[in-house]
Structures are given as structure tokens and as C-alpha cells.
Amino acid sequence: FAGLLAAYLTGLVGVTLLLRPINLLWYWLIYGQSGGRMWFFTWIYDFVPDFWNHFRGENLANTLMFVPFGILYPLASERKSLRRTVTAGLVLILAIELLQPVFGRAFDINDVILNLAGVAVSAGIYHLVSNK
């Protein structure tokens, strides 16, 4: 399961951090010119949780994006406690969110809350089913 966790994390980092730089690189390779600003330091931070005011598909996607982590992490780890799984998920989520402004995206507390909900629900279900 460690290989599946590594593949999932690679895809997650690609989607959350590297999508814009990869798109711009492909634009440059295909057209031979810049497709716009490459990346770096938007410094956009949103610390106001308001996802319940306008819950939409993006919010659901933010929750579902981290559901695999709550299952794959305890399967790949020797320490399978619910607390460790949720803590590792939170550390990963915060690392990604704090790096997003460096890659031309924004930090959003709504993403942190919804991502963590995905980890917590799936980890909770995993631990109830596995009795560990």
C-alpha cells in the first residue's frame, strides 16, 4: 500500500501545486512563447471560513480529494491510530495550502477545513471497519 500512497500523493501535489506551471510549460513547448506569468508569490490568503454560505461542486471536490489519504495512510503505515492519521493529514494539508501562494494560487481556510473533513471521515470509517 506504500506504493499506492506514494502515487496518490504525487498526483495530489501535481493537481494542487504544479498544475499551472505544467500548463505554462506545455504552452511554451507547443507555441514557443510565454503563456503568461509563470508563478511565484501571489500572497493571497483567505482566513474567513464561509464554505457553508455557498457550498458547491468545488467544496465537495475539496472534501473528496483527501478521502483516499484517510484510508491509504493507515494501510501504508505501521502506526495506524486515528489520531496519527488525522494529524498526518492536517500536516499535509497545511503544507500544501501554505505552498500554494508560492505557486501562483491562494491559501484558503475553507480548503483546509474541507480537506480535513475528508481525511477525518475516511479515517474514522477505516478505523471503525478495521477495529484498530
Side-chain angles (χ1 to χ4, degrees), residues 4-130:
L4 281 174
L5 180 62
Y8 163 74
L9 292 175
T10 301
L12 189 65
V13 167
V15 167
T16 57
L17 295 179
L18 302 178
L19 200 55
R20 176 141 174 83
I22 290 170
N23 285 339
L24 292 173
L25 176 64
W26 275 108
Y27 190 90
W28 180 76
L29 290 173
I30 292 170
Y31 297 109
Q33 60 187 5
S34 172
R37 190 171 65 92
M38 182 63 172
W39 54 354
F40 294 122
F41 310 113
T42 59
W43 303 116
I44 299 171
Y45 295 89
D46 182 6
F47 293 105
V48 179
D50 61 355
F51 62 89
W52 55 82
N53 292 334
H54 46 77
F55 198 87
R56 54 186 190 267
E58 180 184 349
N59 299 93
L60 182 60
N62 276 326
T63 304
L64 295 176
M65 186 182 341
F66 276 85
V67 166
F69 185 86
I71 298 166
L72 291 174
Y73 182 82
L75 286 173
S77 175
E78 293 180 13
R79 299 179 178 179
K80 301 175 187 251
S81 76
L82 178 62
R83 175 179 272 171
R84 286 187 187 270
T85 302
V86 173
T87 301
L90 179 60
V91 168
L92 174 64
I93 292 163
L94 288 174
I96 288 171
E97 283 297 319
L98 289 170
L99 284 172
Q100 281 186 355
V102 174
F103 289 89
R105 299 191 62 200
F107 174 95
D108 190 353
I109 196 67
N110 294 307
D111 292 350
V112 173
I113 294 167
L114 294 168
N115 294 163
L116 189 58
V119 171
V121 168
S122 61
I125 291 171
Y126 170 82
H127 287 282
L128 281 175
V129 170
S130 68

